[in-house]
Amino acid sequence: MAVPVVDQPSTRDRILTAALDAFADRGVEATSLDAVAAELGIRKQTILYWFPSKEQLLLDVVDHAVDELGRIVSDAARSARSRTRSGSGAADESPHVPTLADRLTAVVDATFRLGTTRPQLLAVLREVTRLGPPGSTRLASAVEPLAGEAAEALGRPADQPRLKEILLAASARVVGLATEAEVRTDLGLAPDLAWLRRSRQDLIKSLLDSLLPGLNDLTRVSKH
Amino acid sequence: MAVPVVDQPSTRDRILTAALDAFADRGVEATSLDAVAAELGIRKQTILYWFPSKEQLLLDVVDHAVDELGRIVSDAARSARSRTRSGSGAADESPHVPTLADRLTAVVDATFRLGTTRPQLLAVLREVTRLGPPGSTRLASAVEPLAGEAAEALGRPADQPRLKEILLAASARVVGLATEAEVRTDLGLAPDLAWLRRSRQDLIKSLLDSLLPGLNDLTRVSKH
DNA sequence: CTCGCTGTCTACCAAGTGGTAGACACTGTA
DNA sequence: TACAGTGTCTACCACTTGGTAGACAGCGAG
């Protein structure tokens, strides 16, 4: 009955997202609990009520971020449509079942879109790896099962043992690209759409190369 | 007369390098002046004697790092030997004048070697861009003239207006790659020599593509 | 009404931070 | 010897940090 009209996010969740944002763009050490609290209009002691220490908060933020990332990636993989091959007028030659390439493209695109939609998500990963343990180890263990899940979403069960490594490597690449983009703007380079497109293409291509090692023709991936 | 047998680095220089290392692998905010001082066996007040504030120390560290980086790159470019094209037994077809491709390869190799020899140098760049102003702006202005100098060392004066942008983009790419490598190990991926080689090749290739836009054949770059 | 629980608050603390003031030792010069 | 300059030190300060202790308000159940 007492369901709120808009069910507002719990204090705990509000703290998590605010901390994620702050950690991502000001850094963890540079972010005080007071600062996060102030941003939410609460006191630092309320944060310490929900999270026993700043370190624990960071670990939970990592989990939170990985969760969100995993959801986005899985959704993208599952809702991938098969690409219309040439031009707009063509009828769909292969019907609605997306190929592996389609799914990979969807995932990569979703991730790249993340770079402008929610850059904190990638930034916090970088920040955590920079800080080292315990955050980085938590990140590793949180990402680990996610890679398996993503493999599932890609429609490829365990028949490719290296799949997990490949996906992890791709994640690392994306974080690297995000860093590269940031450094580019810092060095005074104008935003370069061509660079972005090229990076996207390279990533997709290298993923396909790893997953379908038999292929030499790169432009079109035939049905199975 | 009183020339020391080994002229030890000045206190100022010792502080600079110690601070660079600390900033690079623990982060700037996480590094206290006390910590840097302790590592050198001196007191924090001695640091503040040479550098009026921590912020100024950071700026000088940036200059120091960029200087060192510039020296390494320039040296590599200047001392580049022309590659022996095929096998070891072949006589040098083109004599001792290295082509642009040779110089670029030398520079890229030197930079990659840096990744294992002196990773702090790249890490501190990343850290500074992460922190934002004033460090990042200082980095930008310190790197700016260096790009011109590197252009000189490459044997290509001002006849390529985009050259500076291309070199800056390459720097950004290298920092991105360094980050990618770090994230890879954090995610539990084993060091991958093949990945390193591929990244090297891609970087050289994309540099050549940008610098010699007319080319389609990528494997061999003829004299002039 | 009262009790216990939950969530937020005020008040405080010990430790650590960057930075200042000034004493002290060592040098070369007059 | 006296002196000025340089480099390092001890002593201290104002401030911020993460974290603790405990008061207090609201609330549903008995």
Side-chain angles (χ1 to χ4, degrees):
Chain A
M1 300 195 179
V3 175
V5 185
V6 286
D7 65 328
Q8 301 172 7
S10 67
T11 302
R12 191 171 185 279
D13 283 348
R14 296 204 316 143
I15 294 174
L16 276 177
T17 64
L20 190 149
D21 290 359
F23 288 169
D25 62 45
R26 261 165 291 161
V28 174
E29 299 108 327
T31 301
S32 68
L33 296 183
D34 278 316
V36 177
E39 208 153 328
L40 294 172
I42 62 176
R43 306 298 142 222
K44 143 179 75 171
Q45 284 71 14
T46 302
I47 297 182
L48 288 168
Y49 170 77
W50 290 103
F51 306 90
S53 70
K54 188 184 182 181
E55 179 173 315
Q56 189 57 53
L57 171 60
L58 173 62
L59 296 185
D60 286 343
V61 162
V62 169
D63 289 348
H64 191 70
V66 171
D67 265 18
E68 186 175 343
L69 207 59
R71 217 173 319 120
I72 291 174
V73 167
S74 293
D75 286 359
R78 265 187 264 273
S79 71
R81 325 224 122 272
S82 56
R83 291 167 294 176
T84 335
R85 212 62 87 170
S86 50
S88 54
D92 36 4
E93 305 159 357
S94 53
H96 289 75
V97 45
T99 68
L100 175 64
D102 294 325
R103 287 207 167 90
L104 274 180
T105 307
V107 166
V108 170
D109 283 350
T111 313
F112 268 60
R113 218 172 301 128
L114 224 63
T116 69
T117 306
R118 200 151 158 56
Q120 305 95 346
L121 225 62
L122 297 178
V124 88
L125 298 193
R126 190 180 29 186
E127 170 73 1
V128 162
T129 68
R130 188 185 67 83
L131 282 174
S136 63
T137 61
R138 175 63 152 257
L139 172 62
S141 49
V143 158
E144 163 81 15
L146 191 143
E149 182 185 327
E152 197 92 13
L154 283 177
R156 279 221 147 200
D159 64 330
Q160 165 66 280
R162 294 203 310 122
L163 180 58
K164 196 174 275 187
E165 277 81 13
I166 292 172
L167 292 176
L168 288 179
S171 315
R173 175 112 155 226
V174 169
V175 176
L177 284 173
T179 305
E180 183 177 347
E182 190 180 354
V183 176
R184 285 177 69 99
T185 68
D186 264 12
L187 290 182
L189 294 172
D192 187 344
L193 207 68
W195 170 78
L196 209 68
R197 265 202 305 267
R198 212 178 314 126
S199 306
R200 189 194 90 119
Q201 279 294 14
D202 285 354
L203 179 52
I204 295 177
K205 173 179 170 310
S206 90
L207 271 171
L208 284 177
D209 278 358
S210 320
L211 289 174
L212 308 171
L215 275 205
N216 269 344
D217 177 13
L218 304 158
T219 52
R220 57 178 50 200
V221 182
S222 63
K223 63 279 178 191
H224 187 194
Chain B
M1 301 204 177
V3 175
V5 185
V6 285
D7 63 329
Q8 302 171 5
S10 67
T11 301
R12 190 171 186 279
D13 283 348
R14 296 204 316 144
I15 295 174
L16 275 178
T17 65
L20 190 149
D21 290 358
F23 288 169
D25 63 43
R26 260 165 292 161
V28 173
E29 299 108 326
T31 302
S32 67
L33 296 183
D34 277 316
V36 177
E39 207 153 328
L40 294 171
I42 62 176
R43 308 295 143 223
K44 141 178 78 169
Q45 285 71 14
T46 303
I47 297 182
L48 288 168
Y49 171 77
W50 291 102
F51 306 90
S53 70
K54 189 185 183 183
E55 179 173 315
Q56 188 58 52
L57 171 60
L58 173 61
L59 296 185
D60 286 343
V61 162
V62 169
D63 289 348
H64 191 69
V66 170
D67 266 17
E68 187 174 342
L69 207 59
R71 216 173 320 118
I72 291 173
V73 167
S74 293
D75 287 359
R78 264 187 266 272
S79 71
R81 324 224 124 272
S82 55
R83 292 167 293 177
T84 337
R85 211 63 84 171
S86 51
S88 54
D92 36 4
E93 306 160 356
S94 55
H96 289 76
V97 46
T99 67
L100 175 63
D102 294 325
R103 287 207 166 92
L104 275 181
T105 306
V107 166
V108 170
D109 283 350
T111 312
F112 268 61
R113 217 172 302 128
L114 224 63
T116 68
T117 306
R118 200 152 159 54
Q120 305 95 347
L121 225 63
L122 297 178
V124 87
L125 298 193
R126 190 180 28 184
E127 170 74 1
V128 162
T129 69
R130 188 185 67 84
L131 282 173
S136 63
T137 60
R138 176 62 152 257
L139 172 62
S141 49
V143 158
E144 163 81 14
L146 191 143
E149 183 185 326
E152 198 91 15
L154 283 176
R156 279 221 147 200
D159 64 330
Q160 167 65 280
R162 295 203 310 125
L163 179 58
K164 194 174 278 186
E165 276 81 12
I166 292 171
L167 291 177
L168 288 179
S171 315
R173 174 113 157 226
V174 170
V175 176
L177 285 173
T179 305
E180 184 177 346
E182 191 182 354
V183 175
R184 285 177 69 100
T185 68
D186 264 12
L187 289 183
L189 294 172
D192 186 346
L193 207 68
W195 169 77
L196 208 67
R197 265 203 305 268
R198 212 178 315 125
S199 304
R200 188 194 91 118
Q201 279 293 13
D202 284 354
L203 179 52
I204 295 177
K205 174 178 169 313
S206 89
L207 271 171
L208 284 178
D209 277 358
S210 320
L211 288 173
L212 308 171
L215 273 204
N216 269 344
D217 178 15
L218 303 159
T219 52
R220 55 178 53 201
V221 182
S222 62
K223 65 276 179 193
H224 179 216

